Amino acid sequence: MALNRSLKIAPSILSADFANFGAECEAIEAHGADWVHVDVMDGHFVPNITFGPSTCAAIRPHIKGVMDVHLMIAPVDPYIDAFAKAGADVITAHVEAGPHIHRTMQAIRAAGAKAGVALNPGTPASSVEYLLDMVDLVCVMTVNPGFGGQKFIHSQVEKVRQLRAMIGDRPIHIEIDGGVDPTTAPLVAAAGADVLVAGSAVFRGGSVSNPAPYGANIKAIRDAVLSTTV
């Protein structure tokens, strides 16, 4: 998974049909998804419970590209190896989830995955300044984590700008998670983000039996960004 700062759309399967995860992953990739984003929630760090390593292992054979696993859990470290063994290409942990985030990044890389660090809306960009030489991705939460379908928090666009300046020429992705749609995507892309996680904005109107809307929704997000950069 070499660095490529071209725009990547990463649909979150939190908005997919839970009874058809494998087929949903295949459908979104066939219709233009670059990465598949898996939101892992524990009911403790965030107020919702979703998936574990077994779900990741089950869908891995259905994903040709990058499986991007976002751990909204605390503690994180005891579960890193399990998600790596389940096939995660990227494992992202929250800077707020524990006292030793540097150690967590070390553990993710030692497990063979790319290391991502996520920041909640109230957490400043400066919190990851001393991690930038050991991470592959910084995820900016543009909603409060825990549920899909929330409204985009516009104050986070400035945080993206700050991060892009801090990162400089380091090979690090900036990912946006929350409230991404054709209206908000151009704002964060212009600020320096290159990976856009979208849940309801991608899956709206489609299904495994009618996946064409997935492609139309992904194209709408991508076109909205490209139309502001040409």
Side-chain angles (χ1 to χ4, degrees), residues 19-44:
N20 289 288
F21 270 153
E24 290 277 53
C25 291
E26 292 174 1
I28 57 176
E29 284 196 321
H31 287 80
D34 301 289
W35 293 9
V36 175
H37 188 82
V38 184
D39 286 307
V40 177
M41 305 180 189
D42 64 356
H44 168 68

Side-chain angles (χ1 to χ4, degrees), residues 111-131:
K114 298 291 187 181
V117 61
L119 297 81
N120 283 337
T123 302
S126 59
S127 66
V128 300
E129 182 176 1
Y130 294 102
L131 298 172

